[in-house]
């Protein structure tokens, strides 16, 4: 994801306003948390008053009996204040922690749901590891602030203002002097805060860099190990981690300087207030209890300022994290839902497909045309094979049919309705696809196949598995259909994973079936079984086949030959071989390479 240091420098606590939509549903709980926060702060502010009363009244009684009774009463009052403080603080902690956990969960869910709705264009230009970093590290920072730091900040704001108000009432001279010192604390804090703000965003970006590297390498472990690149990848990750550490070190150093300055300055303010108070007692201007009350209020005030400086640093980090999350939430997919989606007519014997004057460039390759002025019509129930060299545009046709992208020119339609005018769910429910790289999720074999139709019964899942010749090997697994297949199906062979994907598409039972190298990962025996299953699945529906193997191509009703994004020939296998064009050359090359097999067309 592109880094923007100018935006990082502009990050302020106002960036946290992006959390308001997530906080709004819990406004009643937030109000309760604020009530408990105010009550706990008020209990703290009452303590100095009770202390003054204890010193001035409980310790000056002449009679020992009266003194003991007075002390008991004052200590009981102090205990009551302490108990109230404990009760209200516990209630505040629970409410605030609940809000932090709930808002973080909602935010994480919203970002994830929004990201998975993005078109493939988003994933062409953004690393999965960085998205994961935002979903985990950034949301954890937000949770820390909403569930802890923000509460501490509000509580100390109330305490500081309350202590300031009591100082105004009880000792305006000391208050004026302390305020002057606090100004000297705040001004340098603002300077350090700007540096912390900039480094906080940069730190999060560096962490995301290392997460992106880890996600990429962990998804390609067999390749990394086969080329013995473990050391190189570990070094690359270590470099990214060191960069993250270096940025975090700079941020921590600035915050440490800020903390040292604030603690020193606030301690000096406390000592100055204490000195002024002792002079006033010696001069007979105030009582010892008044001095104790003033000292405690000064302590509350300066400690509140110190805590707020810490909280401000946390707020800046969370503001940077929130900004990064909001960047994901405001993304809009270039493949937009139509304002007034049209319905699709009922499919009888398959769906028809029309491409009229279609030209398309991938967003990541804007100067290289993937398709150029393509005109193609596939009738309902027809099986059409797309063949051609790598990069000819075969898979692009399937991606436009599924509307992973929108063509820059021309119209792509299904059953006479342009795909741009269809709701994405309506379009994709009508289409089934078996990709070249079969996807198996980290769940059971049963649930992997049921992914094609989540409401399918167990019997229907088993029937689809049998149709895809997957039933035998699934039943041979340790727990049969309940066997956990591991991340990305690591417990299965390539051919077994492909048959799971075929069974999933069969269970969906769509009018339009797209086969993108559906048998490429199968051995000869598995291919024969799956080929028969695919031929059965093709009946009664429209099928577009991208195939390197002639067994499927020869049985197609029509073969469309693509080269450099253009249709260069169309016909049956026999017609195309007889014409001696690109198809014939590719077939001849294949037979030359593998004369004992039907082989593959590139």
């Amino acid at each position: 994801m592109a880094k923007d240091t100018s935006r990082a420098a502009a990050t302020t606590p106002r960036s946290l306003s992006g959390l308001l939509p997530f906080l709004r549903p819990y406004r009643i709980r937030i109000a309760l948390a604020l009530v408990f926060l105010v009550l706990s702060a008020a209990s703290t502010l009452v303590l100095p008053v009770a202390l003054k009363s204890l010193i001035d009244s409980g310790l000056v009684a002449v009679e020992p009996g009266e003194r003991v009774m007075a002390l008991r009463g004052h200590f009981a009052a102090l205990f009551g204040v302490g108990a109230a403080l404990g009760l209200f603080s516990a209630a505040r902690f629970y409410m605030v922690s609940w809000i932090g956990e709930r808002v973080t969960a909602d935010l994480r869910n919203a970002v994830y749901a929004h990201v998975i709705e993005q078109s493939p264009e988003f994933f062409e230009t953004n690393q999965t590891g960085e998205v994961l970093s935002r979903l985990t590290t950034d949301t954890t920072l937000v949770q820390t602030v909403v569930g802890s730091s923000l509460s501490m900040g509000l509580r100390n704001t109330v305490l500081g203002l309350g202590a300031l108000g009591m100082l105004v009432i009880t000792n305006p001279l000391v208050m004026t002097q302390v305020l002057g010192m606090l100004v000297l604390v705040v001004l340098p804090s603002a300077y350090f805060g700007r540096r912390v703000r900039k480094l906080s965003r940069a730190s999060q970006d560096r962490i995301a860099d290392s997460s992106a590297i880890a996600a990429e390498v962990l998804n390609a472990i067999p390749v990394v190990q086969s080329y013995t690149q473990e050391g190189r990848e570990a070094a690359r990750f270590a470099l990214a981690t060191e960069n993250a550490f270096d940025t975090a070190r700079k941020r921590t150093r600035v915050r440490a300087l800020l903390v040292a300055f604030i603690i020193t300055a606030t301690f000096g303010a406390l000592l100055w207030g204490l000195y002024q108070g002792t002079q006033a007692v010696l001069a007979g201007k105030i009582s010892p209890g008044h001095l104790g009350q003033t000292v405690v209020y000064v302590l509350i005030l300066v400690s509140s300022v110190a805590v707020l400086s810490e909280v401000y640093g946390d707020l800046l980090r969370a503001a940077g994290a929130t900004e990064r999350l909001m960047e994901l939430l405001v993304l809009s997919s270039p493949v937009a839902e139509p304002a007034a989606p049209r319905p699709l007519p009922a499919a009888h014997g398959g769906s028809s497909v029309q491409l009229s004057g279609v030209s398309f460039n991938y967003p990541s390759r804007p100067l290289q045309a993937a398709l150029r002025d393509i005109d193609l019509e596939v009738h309902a129930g027809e099986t059409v094979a797309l063949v051609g060299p790598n990069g000819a545009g075969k898979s692009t046709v399937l991606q436009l049919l599924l509307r992973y992208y929108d063509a820059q020119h021309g119209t792509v339609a299904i059953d006479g309705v342009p795909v741009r005018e269809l709701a994405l769910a309506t379009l994709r429910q009508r289409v089934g696809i078996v990709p070249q790289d079969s996807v198996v999720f980290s769940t059971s074999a049963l649930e992997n196949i049921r992914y094609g139709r989540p409401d399918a019964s167990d019997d229907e899942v088993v029937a689809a598995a049998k149709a895809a010749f997957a039933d035998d090997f699934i039943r041979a697994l340790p727990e049969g259909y309940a066997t956990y297949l591991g991340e990305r199906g690591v417990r299965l062979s390539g051919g077994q994973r492909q048959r799971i994907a075929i069974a999933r598409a069969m269970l969906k039972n769509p009018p339009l079936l797209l086969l993108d190298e559906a048998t490429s990962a199968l051995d000869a025996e598995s291919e024969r079984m799956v080929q028969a299953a695919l031929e059965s699945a093709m009946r009664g529906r429209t099928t577009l086949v991208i195939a390197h193997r002639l067994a499927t191509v020869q049985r197609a009703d029509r073969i469309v030959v693509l080269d450099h994004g253009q249709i260069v020939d169309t016909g049956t296998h026999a017609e195309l071989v007889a014409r001696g064009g690109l198809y014939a050359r590719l077939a001849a090359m294949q037979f030359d390479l593998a004369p004992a097999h039907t082989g593959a067309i590139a």
Side-chain angles (χ1 to χ4, degrees), residues 378-386 513 515 534-535 537-545 552-553 555-560:
V378 181
H379 302 292
E382 189 178 14
T383 297
V384 172
L386 304 178
L513 183 62
L515 305 177
L534 288 176
E535 289 177 14
M538 292 176 192
R539 296 191 190 103
R541 59 171 52 90
T542 307
T543 307
L544 277 176
V545 183
T552 302
V553 172
R555 292 177 174 84
D557 299 318
R558 190 156 41 105
I559 299 171
V560 176

Side-chain angles (χ1 to χ4, degrees), residues 9 21 77 87 133 143 146 151 217 260 328 336 350 359 389 406 505 520 537 586:
L87 177 63
S133 173
Q143 177 184 343
V146 176
S151 171
V217 172
L328 290 179
S359 296
D406 282 329
S520 62
L586 292 172

Side-chain angles (χ1 to χ4, degrees), residues 307-489:
V307 171
L308 286 173
S309 69
E310 278 287 299
V311 169
Y312 185 65
D314 291 337
L315 288 178
L316 291 174
R317 292 188 68 198
T322 302
E323 185 179 76
R324 284 160 48 89
L325 290 166
M326 292 305 114
E327 286 174 2
L328 290 179
L329 278 177
V330 300
L331 286 173
S332 58
S333 175
V335 178
E337 292 277 6
R342 291 175 56 183
L344 275 172
H348 300 290
S351 291
S352 63
V353 172
Q354 301 86 31
L355 280 74
S356 304
V358 171
S359 296
F360 174 72
N361 295 48
Y362 282 100
S364 58
R365 304 188 294 276
L367 301 180
Q368 180 181 352
L371 293 178
R372 302 180 186 182
D373 199 26
I374 292 288
D375 289 303
L376 174 65
E377 183 168 2
V378 181
H379 302 292
E382 189 178 14
T383 297
V384 172
L386 304 178
V387 301
N390 291 330
K394 306 182 295 296
S395 295
T396 303
V397 172
L398 305 192
Q399 292 182 328
L400 293 180
L401 283 173
L402 284 163
R403 208 180 168 216
Y404 291 158
Y405 301 90
D406 282 329
Q408 284 88 12
H409 302 285
T411 303
V412 180
I414 290 182
D415 290 324
V417 182
V419 294
R420 287 176 182 264
E421 299 177 19
L422 292 170
L424 291 174
T426 301
L427 167 64
R428 292 168 184 172
Q429 284 168 0
R430 183 154 287 198
V431 183
I433 183 168
V434 179
Q436 180 176 4
D437 298 322
S438 54
V439 174
V440 175
F441 298 98
S442 54
T443 183
S444 67
L446 187 76
E447 293 305 318
N448 261 286
I449 297 174
R450 184 178 274 140
Y451 201 83
R453 184 155 56 88
D455 60 348
S457 67
D458 289 356
D459 290 340
E460 289 174 315
V461 172
V462 172
K466 288 179 178 178
F469 292 89
D471 181 70
D472 288 343
F473 83 78
I474 292 176
R475 291 189 185 278
L477 295 172
E479 297 177 53
Y481 279 84
T483 302
Y484 173 74
L485 300 182
E487 186 177 6
R488 298 180 5 256

Side-chain angles (χ1 to χ4, degrees), residues 383 467-469 498-499 502 506 513 515 517-520 522-539 543 545-556 598-599:
T383 297
F469 292 89
Q498 195 71 313
R499 277 182 276 173
I502 293 169
M506 289 182 170
L513 183 62
L515 305 177
E517 301 291 354
T519 61
S520 62
L522 304 180
D523 55 38
E525 182 179 357
S526 297
E527 182 186 356
R528 284 194 296 271
M529 293 188 295
V530 173
Q531 199 65 254
L534 288 176
E535 289 177 14
S536 174
M538 292 176 192
R539 296 191 190 103
T543 307
V545 183
I546 296 176
H548 283 177
R549 299 183 185 271
L550 281 176
T552 302
V553 172
Q554 288 176 317
R555 292 177 174 84
T598 50

Side-chain angles (χ1 to χ4, degrees), residues 3 53 82 113 147 189 235 270 287 309 322 582:
K3 307 296 186 296
S53 179
S189 299
L270 172 63
S287 68
S309 69
T322 302
L582 175 61

Side-chain angles (χ1 to χ4, degrees), residues 40-107:
S40 64
S43 300
T44 304
L45 292 172
V46 168
L47 279 173
V49 177
L51 180 64
K52 177 180 181 296
S53 179
L54 171 67
I55 296 173
D56 289 343
S57 301
L59 298 178
V60 298
V62 177
E63 294 295 330
E66 292 179 4
R67 185 180 301 173
V68 170
M69 295 302 294
L71 284 173
R72 286 178 179 175
H74 287 296
F75 274 107
L78 280 170
F79 177 77
V81 172
L85 175 60
L87 177 63
F88 295 138
S89 296
R92 172 190 62 84
F93 173 78
Y94 174 79
M95 295 300 294
V96 170
S97 297
W98 188 96
I99 292 167
E101 295 285 352
R102 182 69 267 168
V103 167
T104 302
D106 292 347
L107 178 60

Side-chain angles (χ1 to χ4, degrees), residues 161-383:
L161 292 175
L164 182 61
M166 293 302 294
L167 284 171
V168 170
I169 295 171
T170 60
N171 204 328
L173 177 62
V174 174
M175 180 276 299
T176 303
Q177 295 172 343
V178 170
L179 275 181
M181 293 184 177
L182 289 180
V183 169
L184 298 178
V185 175
V186 170
L187 292 178
S189 299
Y191 167 75
F192 283 113
R194 283 195 296 270
R195 294 199 62 191
V196 171
R197 183 171 65 233
K198 182 177 179 180
L199 290 170
S200 294
R201 172 66 191 257
S203 179
Q204 292 304 108
D205 287 340
R206 299 293 79 75
I207 292 172
D209 291 342
S210 60
S211 296
I213 291 172
E216 180 181 39
V217 172
L218 292 177
N219 283 326
I221 280 295
V223 175
V224 172
Q225 294 180 343
S226 68
Y227 283 92
T228 63
Q229 292 297 310
E230 297 94 331
R232 178 175 174 273
E233 293 299 343
R236 191 160 69 101
F237 182 80
L239 178 60
T241 304
E242 283 301 310
N243 289 336
F245 169 77
D246 188 57
T247 306
R249 179 183 56 79
K250 293 176 182 177
R251 171 179 54 79
T252 305
R253 182 176 61 194
V254 174
R255 285 193 66 181
L257 291 173
L258 179 61
V259 169
F261 172 78
I262 290 175
I263 290 177
T264 304
T266 52
F267 190 71
L270 172 63
L271 290 178
W272 178 255
L274 180 60
Y275 174 77
Q276 292 295 317
T278 55
Q279 295 301 309
V281 171
L282 292 175
K285 296 179 181 178
I286 61 173
S287 68
H290 194 164
L291 172 62
Q293 176 183 273
T294 299
V295 169
V296 175
Y297 279 131
V298 171
L299 179 61
I300 291 174
L301 177 59
V302 295
S303 63
S304 296
V305 173
V307 171
L308 286 173
S309 69
E310 278 287 299
V311 169
Y312 185 65
D314 291 337
L315 288 178
L316 291 174
R317 292 188 68 198
T322 302
E323 185 179 76
R324 284 160 48 89
L325 290 166
M326 292 305 114
E327 286 174 2
L328 290 179
L329 278 177
V330 300
L331 286 173
S332 58
S333 175
V335 178
E337 292 277 6
R342 291 175 56 183
L344 275 172
H348 300 290
S351 291
S352 63
V353 172
Q354 301 86 31
L355 280 74
S356 304
V358 171
S359 296
F360 174 72
N361 295 48
Y362 282 100
S364 58
R365 304 188 294 276
L367 301 180
Q368 180 181 352
L371 293 178
R372 302 180 186 182
D373 199 26
I374 292 288
D375 289 303
L376 174 65
E377 183 168 2
V378 181
H379 302 292
E382 189 178 14
T383 297

